[in-house]
Amino acid sequence: MRKLLLLFLFLISCLSASAADLYVGMKTCNITPDKPMFLAGQFYTRFGPVGKYPIQANILAIESRSGDKQEDSALVIGIDIASSRADFFLPLREAIKKEIPDFDLKKLIVGATHTHSSAVVYDYKWEMPKEVIKPSEWVAWSTVKIAKAAKEAWDSRCKAKFSYGLGHAVVGYNRRAVYSNGSAVMYGATNKSDFRAVEGFEDHDVNSMFFWNEKDKLIGMLVNVSCPSQEVEHSKEISSDYWGPTRENLKKKFGQDTVVVPLCGAAGDLSPHLRYMQKATIRMDHLRELNRLQEIGRRVSAAVEDTYQAVVNDKQDSPEVRNLFQFVELPQRVPTKEEYEHSKREVEKRKANPKDGQLGWNRRIIERFENLKKNPHPTLWTTVNVLRIGDAVLCTNQFELYTDFAIQIKARSKAVQTFVVQLSNGSGELLRKGKTHMDPDESAYGSSGTYLPSERAVQGGGYGAVIQSNVVGPEGGQVLVEKTLNMIDQAYSNSAAGQKALKKLDWHLAVAAYSYRKFTFFEAVDKIAALGVKEVEGFNFQKIDSKIPQTLDPAKLSDEILNQVNAKLRSAGVELTALYYGNFPADEKACRKIFENSKKLGIKYFVSEPDPKLIPMLDKLANEYKIIVGLHGHSKESSPNTWHPELVLKHCEKYSPMIGAFSDTGHWIRSELHPAEGVKILKNRLVGTEIHDCVPFDRTATDVPLGTGTGKMDLFFQNVKQYRQGPVLISIEYNTNPEEPSADIHKCIDFIWSTAEKLVK
């Protein structure tokens, strides 16, 4: 009995040790200037002093840590501004990098509450009254202040507990009125005889996250409401709008040091302005002795308090944290000839008044149309973060996103609860001519903002859905939905358990850069890193980068280029574990240079089809440089010496374990050899595999996600476990859809993780 008790306690301790601890720090930063400021959000100039509700930045620093090892992290900053324009976002990134040098800026999420009574963040040709602070001066001052507060939040991280929940409050109303002729008008009158409906959904979810320290003291909360803070949008006072009274109420309830991080949910077609039943609603406000801001604050804070009471006893201290970042390429909405001509007429009509805000609005359409001659299919690179905390997920976009798209994401998300955050971070701008993929470490950021309308909104027309209001249209919105859902799927793949199972089996997982052969090696590295895989198999005839015209051939690389490749690998957080090198030269000196430079790149495996006469020399070099040479085969016609595992075994058996088989299961299937049978033949000589599953089981076979083809991959992995003692490199090479294979590769990764888990049970 004592032995059973000790065993039980040991198992409990192992389980406890395997869970990563949650660390949280939070901070509030007042960014209200002591002078009047220009106010953003309208087509005319306004400026004013601070009103009752000052503007703030509220910060959540979060980290998942196993012992001294960081598993993942995030900085989430909710700011009372209209949008995260490049003029503000870039200086903020730089300031944070200065204050927290080791923080990965891909983990930074900056969301605007979309108040129209906060700072303009760029200088323009305004007349500048002496008492008004210059926008660029406010940006310089506020970004430094926010960055210092972010450091305080980061440095104050302590072991924490987390919970989340869903409440409801009527805050946002659909602001697009539809009329009998099918047209739609933003803020159109609803008391007209031809009024028929509001155009789309309203999202009344109030999503909340709560964070406590180890002593169960509430540190703060994150609150996500699908409505811009624009109840007093025409005010001439600086104001955080309804977030001001909301924060007041919550601090009164939970303590003045409670931090409230506000994030705006998808609300491109929503507004706090009353659209109908105005008289009845205002009557209730009067009876409660509240103004509209206070009433909205009452509703939001009441929903948060109600949620708190339901979840306060459901705290977690070790939720899985994953923060994924990706640049996503969206098709732009292309102006028609009619829209171009309309914009030309508008510019002509308005050019006498240079201060008219719609001049630039229409000039941009003229420029976009004329640029179609050079680029008929323009795209926009945008950033998306998906932050998973336990069973809740937060996903970002840069747009004023129409509610239709957010409902799709919430409905299809794997998370129990999904927080959709608009007006976050910004778009990417290509810095290098001819580059086809974004590099987060080398890219400038454009502005967040611009409406992204639904298809029905475009059909109805009106502000918010006309071409002047959009860079991306409904087609791009659907792409954004699908890409976001793919990232959420990745965040909820069973990565932690799967990786532990692989480690126990002594299997290593890589993705072959050949899967991304349409891209440069650097671009492939970014895409593989985005999948959450830490190892890469390169191939020696892939171009390195648009700025480095050489291919990834160690025989031809200078130390300078080797250093650039290593720097890229470090910045992406991956290793170049293997390299496909089709054949080696017969000259030992030339061959030695390949091994020497490969060693500098950290390569541990060559995947090759050498002349059998060279194997004695390769065995010698493999042992000297500690790089395994894996014999690879394609079809019987193209690889007569290595196409069958029996041939490979014959070539290996006289040599050291540094010579082995790196087999391609796809070519085995095309040769009508079951992969599991190939493992039985090779046994301990299998050092790695380029893994494929295919249909059909003949020479015409094409790649499909692992476990969905004819390869009987579950039996293959069972045999690898049974017959191979020692490490195995499993490299996913996916040949279908080389322009965008990531979704299918992700399914392959999930299959390997889940299979590994089953095998270690």
Side-chain angles (χ1 to χ4, degrees):
M1 185 69 181
R2 177 179 170 79
K3 288 182 179 179
L4 286 173
L5 178 61
L6 289 172
L7 177 61
F8 174 75
L9 292 173
F10 173 74
L11 290 173
I12 291 296
S13 68
C14 289
L15 288 171
S16 300
S18 67
D21 292 318
L22 181 70
Y23 286 78
V24 168
M26 301 186 75
K27 186 70 177 177
T28 294
C29 176
N30 189 332
I31 51 174
T32 311
D34 57 6
K35 298 166 67 174
M37 68 195 309
F38 284 107
L39 304 177
Q42 303 298 340
F43 282 109
Y44 57 89
T45 304
R46 296 175 298 144
F47 62 88
V50 65
K52 184 176 180 181
Y53 302 112
I55 54 175
Q56 299 179 352
N58 285 275
I59 303 158
L60 165 67
I62 188 167
E63 179 187 33
S64 178
R65 193 190 304 169
S66 296
D68 293 331
K69 181 186 175 185
Q70 183 186 90
E71 298 293 338
D72 216 326
S73 63
L75 269 177
V76 183
I77 309 179
I79 308 182
D80 296 323
I81 53 175
S83 66
S84 184
R85 292 180 60 96
D87 313 76
F88 177 84
F89 185 58
L90 287 175
L92 179 58
R93 279 170 52 94
E94 290 301 313
I96 289 174
K97 190 65 178 175
K98 184 177 179 181
E99 292 289 339
I100 319 174
D102 294 333
F103 182 75
D104 182 356
L105 290 176
K106 295 190 290 294
K107 309 292 185 180
L108 173 65
I109 296 171
V110 177
T113 61
H114 205 28
T115 173
H116 276 194
S117 300
S118 185
V120 172
V121 297
Y122 57 93
D123 293 336
Y124 194 62
K125 300 174 184 177
W126 296 293
E127 295 178 8
M128 286 290 300
K130 290 181 180 180
E131 71 274 16
V132 175
I133 188 170
K134 192 175 181 181
S136 58
E137 291 176 358
W138 179 83
V139 168
W141 170 78
S142 64
T143 53
V144 168
K145 194 171 182 184
I146 294 168
K148 289 184 182 299
K151 177 175 171 51
E152 289 184 44
W154 188 253
D155 290 346
S156 69
R157 284 164 297 153
C158 61
K159 278 192 176 182
K161 300 174 183 178
F162 159 78
S163 193
Y164 68 96
L166 175 64
H168 296 92
V170 178
V171 180
Y173 301 86
N174 192 287
R175 51 181 162 174
R176 290 177 53 84
V178 179
Y179 299 99
S180 58
N181 62 2
S183 66
V185 178
M186 186 175 285
Y187 297 125
T190 58
N191 58 355
K192 297 169 62 176
S193 61
D194 58 346
F195 168 71
R196 292 295 179 266
V198 293
E199 185 179 75
F201 295 110
E202 293 172 353
D203 185 350
H204 302 309
D205 293 351
V206 176
N207 298 287
S208 300
M209 294 182 181
F210 302 94
F211 302 92
W212 295 265
N213 65 18
E214 281 192 295
K215 296 180 179 179
D216 282 333
K217 174 177 168 43
L218 186 68
I219 306 169
M221 61 190 72
L222 181 152
V223 183
N224 172 222
V225 179
S226 294
C227 185
S229 48
Q230 294 174 7
E231 179 57 31
V232 292
E233 63 177 319
H234 296 283
S235 165
K236 291 188 178 180
E237 289 184 336
I238 302 168
S239 175
S240 54
D241 208 273
Y242 69 75
W243 284 109
T246 298
R247 286 192 288 249
E248 279 190 355
N249 294 345
L250 292 172
K251 286 175 179 288
K252 184 177 180 180
K253 172 71 176 179
F254 296 107
Q256 290 302 311
D257 57 348
T258 305
V259 178
V260 181
V261 179
L263 294 174
C264 185
D269 47 349
L270 305 182
S271 162
H273 297 319
L274 299 173
R275 304 303 307 125
Y276 52 90
M277 296 292 287
Q278 289 97 328
K279 292 179 180 179
T281 306
I282 292 170
R283 171 180 175 268
M284 295 305 296
D285 293 348
H286 288 162
L287 291 173
R288 292 189 177 102
E289 298 182 347
L290 301 173
N291 60 34
R292 285 301 302 151
L293 279 187
Q294 292 167 331
E295 168 58 14
I296 296 170
R298 182 191 70 82
R299 295 182 187 185
V300 176
S301 57
V304 174
E305 290 176 32
D306 181 66
T307 302
Y308 177 89
Q309 295 302 326
V311 305
V312 66
N313 294 319
D314 187 40
K315 302 185 185 82
Q316 307 166 46
D317 56 10
S318 56
E320 182 166 354
V321 175
R322 297 195 70 192
N323 188 357
L324 308 182
F325 168 93
Q326 193 171 323
F327 274 113
V328 173
E329 188 176 17
L330 304 178
Q332 288 193 24
R333 182 177 172 183
V334 175
T336 64
K337 182 68 179 297
E338 292 73 20
E339 290 165 339
Y340 168 68
E341 295 294 344
H342 172 78
S343 289
K344 286 174 69 176
R345 290 192 297 271
E346 287 296 305
V347 167
E348 189 64 28
K349 182 171 67 176
R350 298 172 183 273
K351 68 181 182 180
N353 180 11
K355 295 182 180 180
D356 190 327
Q358 295 197 34
L359 267 176
W361 208 47
N362 284 284
R363 282 174 176 156
R364 285 191 288 273
I365 302 307
I366 296 170
E367 181 181 2
R368 282 166 59 183
F369 183 84
E370 293 175 349
N371 283 341
L372 293 175
K373 297 173 184 176
K374 300 176 185 176
N375 181 13
H377 303 290
T379 60
L380 174 78
W381 289 98
T382 188
T383 64
V384 176
N385 277 80
V386 166
L387 173 60
R388 173 188 175 182
I389 310 176
D391 290 327
V393 69
L394 183 155
C395 55
T396 72
N397 68 84
Q398 74 167 76
F399 303 98
E400 289 192 65
L401 187 69
Y402 272 46
T403 311
D404 292 47
F405 299 113
I407 296 297
Q408 286 189 58
I409 293 171
K410 290 184 179 185
R412 295 169 57 193
S413 170
K414 282 187 175 180
V416 172
Q417 189 170 334
T418 301
F419 297 55
V420 179
V421 181
Q422 71 170 19
L423 294 170
S424 178
N425 295 5
S427 61
E429 295 177 349
L430 294 171
L431 292 187
R432 301 206 297 264
K433 192 173 182 181
K435 191 169 172 62
T436 59
H437 181 65
M438 295 301 301
D439 183 335
D441 295 320
E442 299 180 3
S443 303
Y445 281 72
S447 299
S448 71
T450 72
Y451 292 95
L452 204 169
S454 62
E455 182 64 43
R456 55 180 161 182
V458 170
Q459 292 172 1
Y463 179 79
V466 292
I467 187 69
Q468 290 88 344
S469 302
N470 312 147
V471 175
V472 175
E475 178 189 1
Q478 198 58 46
V479 174
L480 176 67
V481 167
E482 302 303 330
K483 296 288 187 181
T484 301
L485 287 167
N486 284 340
M487 291 177 69
I488 293 174
D489 286 349
Q490 182 183 334
Y492 279 87
S493 60
N494 198 3
S495 60
Q499 288 168 359
K500 288 175 184 175
L502 287 175
K503 187 175 182 180
K504 188 171 183 179
L505 291 164
D506 205 5
W507 295 354
H508 300 264
L509 180 61
V511 172
Y514 191 75
S515 308
Y516 296 99
R517 57 196 174 276
K518 296 288 186 181
F519 302 88
T520 68
F521 176 69
F522 280 7
E523 292 165 350
V525 163
D526 286 337
K527 288 177 175 288
I528 292 167
L531 291 166
V533 175
K534 301 299 183 184
E535 299 187 46
V536 176
E537 177 197 344
F539 61 99
N540 69 316
F541 50 94
Q542 185 174 29
K543 184 179 176 181
I544 295 174
D545 187 47
S546 58
K547 288 176 72 175
I548 306 174
Q550 288 97 323
T551 59
L552 192 65
D553 185 347
K556 301 174 183 178
L557 300 183
S558 66
D559 283 345
E560 180 184 358
I561 293 175
L562 289 170
N563 289 337
Q564 290 180 49
V565 173
N566 278 326
K568 177 62 183 177
L569 294 168
R570 282 195 302 273
S571 71
V574 300
E575 297 178 11
L576 181 58
T577 302
L579 180 71
Y580 178 85
Y581 205 95
N583 200 358
F584 286 94
D587 178 64
E588 183 175 332
K589 183 178 179 182
C591 208
R592 184 174 291 277
K593 182 177 181 182
I594 295 168
F595 273 79
E596 187 174 318
N597 281 347
S598 296
K599 190 72 174 178
K600 292 176 182 177
L601 291 171
I603 291 168
K604 298 178 178 66
Y605 294 83
F606 284 120
V607 184
S608 183
E609 301 171 56
D611 186 326
K613 296 176 182 178
L614 299 181
I615 293 178
M617 177 184 68
L618 293 174
D619 185 37
K620 171 188 169 184
L621 293 173
N623 279 278
E624 182 179 341
Y625 287 94
K626 306 301 182 206
I627 301 177
I628 294 170
V629 177
L631 304 184
H632 188 72
H634 289 89
S635 67
K636 183 177 182 179
E637 293 76 21
S638 62
S639 305
N641 295 311
T642 53
W643 74 275
H644 196 280
E646 289 180 350
L647 293 171
V648 174
L649 187 62
K650 182 179 178 181
H651 294 312
C652 292
E653 59 187 0
K654 297 180 182 178
Y655 300 102
S656 77
M658 299 301 287
I659 302 293
F662 209 105
S663 302
D664 186 311
T665 61
H667 287 295
W668 280 354
I669 292 170
R670 293 183 189 93
S671 300
E672 299 183 17
L673 172 69
H674 273 294
E677 294 303 311
V679 177
K680 278 187 181 181
I681 295 168
L682 291 168
K683 294 186 172 66
N684 229 29
R685 279 295 181 172
L686 182 74
V687 297
T689 177
E690 284 184 354
I691 191 83
H692 302 256
D693 201 352
C694 303
V695 289
F697 193 75
D698 61 30
R699 65 184 304 157
T700 67
T702 57
D703 285 10
V704 294
L706 295 179
T708 64
T710 60
K712 299 181 180 178
M713 300 314 298
D714 51 351
L715 184 58
F716 168 81
F717 283 114
Q718 287 177 32
N719 281 2
V720 173
K721 180 187 177 186
Q722 180 178 350
Y723 292 106
R724 165 65 184 174
Q725 304 301 313
V728 178
L729 179 62
I730 301 165
S731 180
I732 299 170
E733 183 182 82
Y734 199 79
N735 290 328
T736 304
N737 190 20
E739 288 82 9
E740 192 48 75
S742 292
D744 284 343
I745 293 175
H746 180 61
K747 293 175 184 176
C748 295
I749 294 167
D750 272 350
F751 179 83
I752 292 170
W753 279 336
S754 62
T755 300
E757 282 186 77
K758 293 172 187 174
L759 290 174
V760 299
K761 286 182 178 178

